[in-house]
């Protein structure tokens, strides 16, 4: 009985205890040799503002192509282009907002 309760408790925590970013983005990116923050910095260098970064990320995640990626050709040749996201527009927006808040440098530099 206790064993079943622990399993249910862990399942509930996994399903509701993690946010859309942790559950859908980090879980896959943890398997790649490039940490997830490096993608953020590449987007920031290329697109500069929150609005432009988010728009570029949404565009790429919905329609991932070689032309839309910020990763170098060698990375794409080794790991390929990801599949389009299965997240809804609301979930994707929320995930990118969490990602932005986690890695943004604005207001953190002194």
């Amino acid at each position: 009985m206790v064993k079943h309760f622990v399993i249910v408790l862990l399942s509930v925590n996994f399903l509701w205890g993690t946010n859309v970013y942790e559950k859908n983005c980090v879980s896959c990116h943890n398997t790649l040799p490039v940490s997830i923050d490096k993608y953020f910095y590449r987007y920031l260098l290329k697109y500069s503002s929150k609005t432009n970064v988010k728009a570029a990320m949404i565009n790429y995640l919905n329609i991932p192509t070689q032309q839309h990626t910020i990763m170098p050709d060698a990375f794409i040749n080794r790991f390929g282009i990801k599949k389009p996201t299965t997240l809804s527009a609301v979930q994707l927006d929320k995930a990118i907002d969490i990602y932005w808040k986690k890695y943004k440098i604005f207001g953190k530099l002194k």
Side-chain angles (χ1 to χ4, degrees):
M1 177 71 172
V2 172
K3 186 177 185 181
H4 293 291
F5 178 73
V6 170
I7 291 171
V8 169
L9 185 61
L10 290 173
S11 298
V12 168
N13 186 44
F14 176 75
L15 292 174
W16 287 293
T18 57
N19 60 47
V20 67
Y21 165 74
E22 294 287 334
K23 185 176 176 189
N24 296 283
C25 306
V26 174
S27 60
C28 288
H29 277 272
N30 279 344
T31 64
L32 296 174
V34 177
S35 63
I36 200 165
D37 62 323
K38 302 300 186 253
Y39 296 90
F40 180 83
Y41 301 130
R42 285 182 166 274
Y43 273 101
L44 193 56
L45 281 171
K46 185 168 182 177
Y47 296 103
S48 302
S49 72
K50 179 180 181 179
T51 302
N52 292 341
V53 167
K54 283 185 70 174
M57 291 181 81
I58 288 169
N59 185 41
Y60 178 73
L61 293 169
N62 282 317
I63 308 166
T65 65
Q66 183 96 22
Q67 294 77 24
H68 293 136
T69 188
I70 47 101
M71 296 308 288
D73 289 338
F75 183 89
I76 299 303
N77 291 338
R78 183 169 179 197
F79 298 102
I81 298 286
K82 74 174 289 329
K83 292 183 170 107
T85 185
T86 58
L87 297 175
S88 71
V90 172
Q91 290 173 313
L92 183 57
D93 195 53
K94 180 69 175 167
I96 293 173
D97 279 343
I98 294 167
Y99 185 57
W100 178 267
K101 287 176 187 169
K102 184 170 179 74
Y103 294 108
K104 72 177 181 167
I105 58 172
F106 307 113
K108 294 182 180 179
L109 298 176
K110 296 195 184 225

